[in-house]
């Protein structure tokens, strides 16, 4: 009937998207910016805990070194201070310091995500996401992959 066809025609205009992706990405960005992270200076070996959105510069506040690394675990800072750190951990710290040096706040945002380590963050940053939305979409994809595969680690 005419009434049925009118309702069917209007339905195509009112369809909502399958997922509210923009809102999810905005929530993700807010969560990552409010994340507290530990940064370790590779020059003076001091650690500083900061919230990402409050970081003014990516230099050490004590010695002004630009080699500031992301500390995944708090015990790494103690090992670094006592010079009981392995070569593998030093390489990981240097890799994160290089990521932060070249990519700035984007590297910190990627490293603050759940289940995103230094290698995954490097992969995300190497893709060259030019827009903030594409960058957040890649982080979300990495977090979903981590949540799905975590039980196999």
């Amino acid at each position: 009937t005419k009434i049925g066809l009118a309702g069917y025609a209007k339905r195509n205009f009112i369809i909502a998207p399958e997922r509210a992706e923009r809102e999810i990405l905005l929530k993700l960005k807010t969560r990552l910016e409010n994340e507290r992270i530990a940064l370790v200076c590779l020059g003076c070996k001091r650690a500083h805990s900061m919230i990402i959105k409050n970081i003014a510069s990516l230099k050490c506040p004590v010695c002004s070194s630009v080699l500031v690394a992301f500390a995944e675990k708090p015990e790494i800072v103690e090992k670094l201070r006592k010079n009981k750190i392995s070569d593998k951990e030093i390489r990981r710290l240097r890799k994160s310091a290089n990521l932060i040096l070249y990519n700035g706040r984007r590297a910190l945002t990627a490293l603050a995500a759940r289940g995103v380590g230094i290698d995954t963050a490097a992969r995300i940053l190497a893709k060259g996401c030019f827009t903030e939305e594409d960058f957040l979409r890649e982080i979300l994809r990495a977090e979903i992959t981590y949540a799905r595969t975590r039980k196999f680690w």
Side-chain angles (χ1 to χ4, degrees), residues 39-48 59-68 77 80-83:
L39 297 175
V40 180
C41 176
L42 297 181
C44 65
K45 300 179 182 177
R46 293 188 183 171
H48 307 283
K59 292 182 180 180
C60 176
V62 177
C63 68
S64 298
S65 173
V66 293
L67 281 178
V68 180
V77 178
L80 184 65
R81 247 187 234 140
K82 295 178 182 177
N83 288 328

Side-chain angles (χ1 to χ4, degrees), residues 51-58 100 103-110:
I51 296 175
I52 292 178
K53 71 177 177 182
N54 295 337
I55 296 175
S57 72
L58 295 172
I100 293 169
N103 297 296
R105 195 177 298 262
R106 272 192 167 190
L108 290 177
T109 305

Side-chain angles (χ1 to χ4, degrees), residues 3-21:
I3 295 175
L5 288 175
Y8 185 72
K10 291 269 185 180
R11 186 182 71 135
N12 293 337
F13 295 111
I14 304 175
I15 294 177
E18 291 181 25
R19 288 178 60 190
E21 188 173 313

